[in-house]
Amino acid sequence: MVCLPMANPYLVVEHLTKVYERGQVLALRDLSFTVDKGEFLVVIGLSGSGKSTLLRCINRLIEPTKGKIWLDGGEVTRLSQARMRRVRRKIGMIFQQFNLVDRSTAIANVLTGRLGYLPGWRALLGWFPEEDREKALASLERVGLRDKAYVRVDQLSGGQRQRVGIARALMQEPELLLADEPVSALDPATSHSIMQYLEQMNKEDGVTVIASLHFLSLARRYGTRIIALKDGQLVFDGSPQAIDNVKFKEIYGEDAEEVEVR
Amino acid sequence: MNGGSAAVGSASAGRGVALSRRALSFALDWMTWGYVAYCVMYLLNYYWYTVHVDWWGTLTLPTWGWPVVILATLELAVGCRSFGRSLGQRAIGAEFQDREGGRITIGRRLTRILLWHISVPLFAIGFWRGEDPWHDRVVGVSLRPISPDPERPGRRALATQWGILALFLGALTLWVGWLIIGINFQVLIRRAPQAGRIWGEMLRPDFRYFTTPDPVFSLRSQSYSILDLAVVTVFMALMATILGAAIAFPLSFFGARNVMGFSPVGWAVYGIVRGFFNVFRSIETIIWGSIFAVWVGYGTTLAGILALTVHTIAALGKLYSEQVEGVSPGPLEAVWAVGGSRVQVVRHAVIPQVLPSFWAFTLYRWDINVRMSTVIALVGGGGIGDMLFYYKNQGDWPKVGAVVIVIVAIVWAMDYISGWLRERIA
Ligand SMILES: Nc1ncnc2c1ncn2[C@@H]1O[C@H](COP(=O)(O)OP(=O)(O)OP(=O)(O)O)[C@@H](O)[C@H]1O
Ligand SMILES: [Mg+2]
């Protein structure tokens, strides 16, 4: 019934359009692309080009106005809210502003990664099974924050917070990871350490990663493929090496200078 | 920020304010001048009897008087608006600006007033078409958000005039207000000896019935001591606060925009819950007390508790809801993203954020309930107030003194406890 173009890519985005009613903004215009399993796709583009909107349309935190999205052969844009919640369990997400509950402990935040699997009454009481707690500690261990497990998040640094965010995503054992500007709030050195965790998830756990980044140098370094947005339109789709100076000016505008993040 | 994304609608930099805001500011101006007119007429009545105002402040004008007042205030409003001396425009943060950015001469402002009289009655808002009404476009002005430039021409003069206007309105209010409430200081002094005697008796409090029931005072053929009713009063306040908070807590999420979402059902539930909070909150505890006293029995503690509880639910519910609406949306988004349900979003993203302020509000409400429970007996709500008003009616001032001291002690002690708890939690 579902007719897929080509040989079953992991994610298919077709004619995706998003209009924000409020402000009448055309944020995405007729986007089409595919992502294969195991890819590390980087989305670049100027501020306001629609990167966040695109990522949130994939897990339907934002409802697309038009277009279709298939994930692993199933059309997510057709699912009911209840079914969509089940799909989201396997889609990890990390955010520019971390989106942690500041006054809760690191482990409490990490545990919320399991919420999709918890029966209603247990979630209501906040009773996570013992194996979830162990898993949470293991996830924190993996991002090097085992000793901060019971520290309130508002006492952690930006880089540590983002690692808590990654640990929360690890709890989901995701197949797909959406990272919306995961390092924009961090300094260059910390940025690299965070990106390396994402790279590790991609290479070792086989998680497909879609990350939006501001810096082309980071995109080149970590992406296996890059797509570029401009005013909500797809203006580039190809390998990191294919972005030359001309392409760069096309994406970022005539006056742009490339900045390196080392 | 808005980078390169395309806006579908046109959005020029200096856009006139929306019609609804404009109408609001106009209404404010008209009302202000209406108020000034009322004050002036009140003064005319008071000093020269040229306008009739009866003793409770209602104006009686000849039939032709009303149209005159209405038109005069309208003219004043329009005039002031044209000259930019308008409270209403200030309130919405807008001012008239030249469409080309130049100065607006007095002649153009006067022309605008004249044209307004043609435009508004004849064409109403049909001539609006776009951003500015016809009379504005002809004169070349536009009502726009106040420019933040501190150096813009005429700014200082305007500020002075604003000060004078505010001072004028304030002085007028004080003057008329003084006449309306008619304070009579002579009574205060003439009756001082009598009050002094009562004070003297109260200052020799009669504590004989602090623990032993007073045979003179009985409720439903049962005598009580002061301590008995003090305990009842404290528990009335405590139960009302706990019950009220327990009911307001779950309700408050239904009265929060960000939790309910934007579906029609969400809007409906939100509207009903918020409406309930607002209506029930605006009916004071004392009024609820008289309602429940009729319902469940005059002078019963139940009536008092119900009154306190109902008002607590509404007042706390509103405070809680506003707190819920103020949470940072990031954690909510994160719980949605991992596949959480609405209930889980509330439990794991909203509640951790709002709990401390919920505690603070609840303790604050506890203070209010303690004070209210000492007087709710006035309308038949039971508690220590029953004793107070009974002794007062008997003219038994030493006993009144004892009860007042106990009430002060209760309020002070509970204040101290809630303050201590607040410190612990914050
Ligand atoms: N909730 C919203 N309502 C209305 N317009 C919105 C909303 N969210 C985003 N937009 C608009 O949609 C466009 C794309 O926004 P988006 O956040 O996707 O861009 P972005 O590429 O992520 O930018 P940034 O790098 O600044 O995060 C922008 O013009 C923005 O103003
Ligand atoms: Mg963004």
Side-chain angles (χ1 to χ4, degrees), chain B residues 120-149:
Chain B
V120 170
L122 285 188
F123 308 109
I125 48 175
F127 234 73
W128 214 273
R129 199 172 302 136
E131 25 172 328
D132 292 317
W134 176 73
H135 48 271
D136 282 2
R137 274 181 282 148
V138 170
V139 191
V141 297
S142 175
L143 188 63
R144 290 175 179 170
I146 291 177
S147 104
D149 177 15

Side-chain angles (χ1 to χ4, degrees), chain A residues 116-251:
Chain A
Y117 294 96
L118 220 54
W121 62 273
R122 285 200 90 134
L124 205 56
L125 294 170
W127 284 357
F128 289 90
E130 199 46 46
E131 65 253 35
D132 280 358
R133 299 191 163 273
E134 277 158 23
K135 212 164 138 63
L137 288 176
S139 302
L140 281 166
E141 175 97 64
R142 207 171 143 188
V143 294
L145 284 178
R146 173 67 183 78
D147 56 325
K148 301 282 186 198
Y150 296 97
V151 174
R152 267 171 61 149
V153 166
D154 51 14
Q155 288 166 14
L156 299 179
S157 72
Q160 288 170 333
R161 286 181 204 202
Q162 193 58 294
R163 274 142 71 193
V164 173
I166 293 175
R168 176 174 59 193
L170 282 171
M171 285 296 278
Q172 293 173 254
E173 291 173 352
E175 291 170 4
L176 174 65
L177 182 71
L178 304 173
D180 186 22
E181 293 177 34
V183 295
S184 294
L186 306 174
D187 61 67
T190 318
S191 296
H192 276 296
S193 94
I194 293 295
M195 289 309 295
Q196 273 152 19
Y197 284 114
L198 299 193
E199 190 173 41
Q200 197 187 9
M201 280 173 83
N202 177 244
K203 294 224 168 97
E204 290 172 17
D205 309 339
V207 178
T208 309
V209 177
I210 304 180
S212 68
L213 292 173
H214 261 142
F215 288 107
L216 191 56
S217 58
L218 283 176
R220 285 209 180 100
R221 159 83 176 71
Y222 295 98
T224 57
R225 198 175 120 214
I226 293 181
I227 63 175
L229 297 183
K230 187 177 183 185
D231 294 350
Q233 272 170 317
L234 196 68
V235 291
F236 177 83
D237 182 347
S239 79
Q241 292 76 36
I243 299 191
D244 52 17
N245 208 31
V246 177
K247 264 289 166 213
F248 177 80
K249 298 252 161 169
E250 202 180 310
I251 299 165

Side-chain angles (χ1 to χ4, degrees), chain B residues 139-372:
Chain B
V139 191
V141 297
S142 175
L143 188 63
R144 290 175 179 170
I146 291 177
S147 104
D149 177 15
E151 295 302 318
R152 70 183 192 277
R155 199 196 71 97
R156 296 199 60 162
L158 203 58
T160 318
Q161 284 159 10
W162 275 114
I164 292 169
L165 183 62
L167 224 56
F168 166 72
L169 279 177
L172 194 63
T173 302
L174 279 183
W175 188 1
V176 173
W178 182 263
L179 299 179
I180 286 181
I181 59 174
I183 294 177
N184 189 340
F185 282 113
Q186 284 166 351
V187 179
L188 209 59
I189 293 164
R190 185 155 43 81
R191 309 257 304 236
Q194 230 173 319
R197 184 180 58 78
I198 293 173
W199 273 104
E201 285 187 31
M202 277 171 66
L203 286 176
R204 266 171 274 126
D206 175 2
F207 274 110
R208 268 179 303 164
Y209 299 108
F210 183 62
T211 48
T212 33
D214 184 353
V216 185
F217 172 80
S218 68
L219 286 168
R220 271 169 292 281
S221 59
Q222 162 89 44
S223 290
Y224 294 96
S225 67
I226 297 179
L227 193 61
D228 286 339
L229 287 192
V231 171
V232 166
T233 306
V234 168
F235 275 93
M236 253 167 73
L238 191 60
M239 292 302 285
T241 310
I242 294 173
L243 279 177
I247 297 170
F249 180 77
L251 269 185
S252 66
F253 300 105
F254 292 96
R257 249 303 27 110
N258 51 346
V259 171
M260 290 316 289
F262 294 88
S263 66
V265 179
W267 270 109
V269 175
Y270 166 85
I272 290 168
V273 172
R274 271 303 177 91
F276 163 79
F277 288 160
N278 282 330
V279 170
F280 279 54
R281 202 173 49 100
S282 58
I283 302 173
E284 264 299 332
T285 313
I286 291 288
I287 300 172
W288 282 117
S290 18
I291 293 171
F292 283 116
V294 175
W295 189 344
V296 301
Y298 194 91
T300 55
T301 13
L302 180 61
I305 289 186
L306 287 175
L308 289 168
T309 307
V310 167
H311 197 261
T312 302
I313 294 172
L316 277 185
K318 176 141 195 280
L319 290 175
Y320 286 175
S321 295
E322 280 166 1
Q323 212 58 37
V324 170
E325 288 184 341
V327 298
S328 77
L332 281 68
E333 189 182 31
V335 174
W336 285 121
V338 301
S341 63
R342 195 178 298 275
V343 176
Q344 289 176 338
V345 168
V346 170
R347 167 65 183 82
H348 292 275
V350 178
I351 291 180
Q353 290 192 66
V354 296
L355 219 45
S357 42
F358 274 28
W359 275 114
F361 284 135
T362 312
L363 288 171
Y364 160 72
R365 186 66 210 183
W366 156 247
D367 281 350
I368 294 178
N369 282 350
V370 168
R371 267 176 275 135
M372 203 45 101

Side-chain angles (χ1 to χ4, degrees), chain A residues 24-26 29 47-48 56 61 85 88-89 91 95 99-101 103-104 112 115-116 118 123-126 168 172 231, chain B residues 1-9 329-331 333-344 347-349 352-353 356:
Chain A
Q24 301 228 311
V25 178
L26 196 56
R29 309 187 200 195
S47 193
R56 281 167 177 73
L61 284 182
R85 283 211 303 274
R88 282 187 195 141
R89 299 194 302 201
I91 308 177
F95 306 84
N99 289 3
L100 305 168
V101 179
R103 45 174 76 254
S104 297
T112 59
L115 280 177
L118 220 54
L124 205 56
L125 294 170
R168 176 174 59 193
Q172 293 173 254
D231 294 350
Chain B
M1 260 315 286
N2 211 337
S5 88
V8 176
E333 189 182 31
V335 174
W336 285 121
V338 301
S341 63
R342 195 178 298 275
V343 176
Q344 289 176 338
R347 167 65 183 82
H348 292 275
Q353 290 192 66

